[in-house]
Amino acid sequence: MPEADSVRLAVPPGSTNWAVSSSIAAQDLQHRGETRCAQELCESLLRPATRPQGGFRPRASGSMPAAPTATLGPVSAHSTTDADAPGYALERELAADGATLVAGVDEVGRGAWAGPVVVCATVTDGTEPPPGLTDSKKLTPARREAMSELLRDWVRDHAFGRAEPEEIDEVGMTAALRLAASRALAHLRPGPDAVILDGKHDYLGRPWRVRTQVKGDLSCVSVAAASILAKVHRDAYMVGLDAEYPAYGFATGVGYPTPAHRAALAEFGPTPHHRMSWAYLDDLPQWKHLRKPPPAAGRQTSLL
């Protein structure tokens, strides 16, 4: 896996080698019997990406337009100052290296016991972001909701992708993250030619040109925007599940192992939205027989 400050270069979209590298990744899934995932991955990755006319054009600080204003609700205990605000250093670095459209990508729900893992991909135009933009985890729910409303109107483009619990059980978390991210990126128009991933591990891999960045949601505008949009999007989905399964506390715990969630699992067992290959089932004697075998290490999709 690349280090946090590394840049992964892939064959440019549209070339024969790029198509070959995409088909290799899909064939890896197909040989392991995951035909549906392989077909979707191949189709999304082989979709031609159209280069934008204007590209990524950071504006000089003196020409930044006024950011939209809104009431963002109570400030969290981790409220940021202007000095802490994310910037455009990574986007500008990739633009200087030839990228014409850069997408920031972040995920949410990786460690939950229930619900999908959701990835958001965002593209900005280099203008000043709404004030108070930062990592979603540093914002109160009310402030995060208000910020997401501003971001939906402010970003140039954004899209969501998700991998369902059964897909996580089938292919493992690394490959599930790749599926979710590929689905999000496939819906951006035009498609990006460089991607900034939050974190240290490149779960996306070829054929994308990927830059990984630890704490990218704190330092990079497009990743910070993606972190907030992804969190609000997934939380809303889990609130919907709460109406169907109120005992599990999905509206507040959003699928993570809260005391209410653990108690409901012990009494009622897992729902169709639970990840059934995870070890938490081993601690539930009444339901442990339902656990599915996790994907073997050799079945994980190679990202190198």
Side-chain angles (χ1 to χ4, degrees):
M1 296 295 181
E3 296 300 323
D5 59 352
S6 66
V7 177
R8 177 182 292 276
L9 297 178
V11 181
S15 71
T16 302
N17 288 339
W18 179 83
V20 170
S21 68
S22 299
S23 64
I24 289 173
Q27 287 169 10
D28 180 56
L29 282 168
Q30 189 170 21
H31 287 327
R32 295 187 278 107
E34 290 136 19
T35 305
R36 179 179 58 80
C37 293
Q39 181 179 2
E40 181 174 346
L41 179 60
C42 191
E43 288 175 353
S44 66
L45 293 179
L46 291 176
R47 186 178 292 112
T50 305
R51 287 183 178 272
Q53 296 299 314
F56 178 79
R57 301 184 300 277
R59 301 186 185 183
S61 59
S63 62
M64 294 283 190
T69 58
T71 300
L72 294 180
V75 179
S76 86
H78 303 287
S79 178
T80 60
T81 65
D82 289 342
D84 299 321
Y88 281 113
L90 292 179
E91 290 93 339
R92 290 188 175 108
E93 180 182 324
L94 290 166
D97 200 31
T100 57
L101 199 69
V102 179
V105 170
D106 202 5
E107 58 78 23
V108 65
R110 184 194 305 228
W113 288 2
V117 61
V118 172
V119 171
C120 181
T122 66
V123 175
T124 76
D125 62 2
T127 59
E128 185 176 358
L133 177 66
T134 187
D135 173 16
S136 65
K137 297 184 290 296
K138 287 182 170 279
L139 301 177
T140 63
R143 187 172 173 84
R144 192 163 52 231
E145 286 271 1
M147 180 61 74
S148 73
E149 290 291 331
L150 294 178
L151 289 172
R152 279 192 284 268
D153 293 331
W154 174 76
V155 295
R156 176 171 174 172
D157 196 8
H158 74 287
F160 301 99
R162 74 187 200 192
E164 302 298 340
E166 57 268 25
E167 292 178 311
I168 297 171
D169 291 332
E170 180 183 2
V171 301
M173 182 55 73
T174 299
L177 283 168
R178 180 173 186 174
L179 284 171
S182 297
R183 289 163 180 165
L185 290 165
H187 284 91
L188 294 178
R189 293 292 183 272
D193 51 11
V195 175
I196 302 172
L197 280 184
D198 182 48
K200 107 185 256 194
H201 298 302
D202 176 9
Y203 55 78
L204 192 54
R206 296 179 311 216
W208 303 99
R209 176 185 177 183
V210 174
R211 166 72 182 260
T212 58
Q213 180 63 40
V214 173
K215 298 188 183 301
D217 45 12
L218 286 173
S219 61
C220 173
V221 168
S222 57
V223 175
S227 77
I228 290 172
L229 291 169
K231 172 66 173 167
V232 171
H233 182 82
R234 185 181 184 276
D235 283 1
Y237 175 80
M238 297 304 294
V239 168
L241 290 185
D242 187 77
E244 191 174 355
Y245 302 97
Y248 296 81
F250 289 155
T252 53
V254 294
Y256 285 85
T258 62
H261 189 175
R262 290 172 181 268
L265 276 170
E267 183 173 359
F268 305 113
T271 73
H273 302 280
H274 277 85
R275 301 169 189 181
M276 300 300 293
S277 63
W278 285 36
Y280 70 86
L281 283 167
D282 291 340
D283 297 324
L284 300 171
Q286 188 177 355
W287 312 105
K288 64 186 301 182
H289 66 283
L290 297 176
R291 186 183 178 190
K292 296 179 180 179
R299 296 183 63 205
Q300 293 287 328
T301 304
S302 173
L303 300 182
L304 301 178

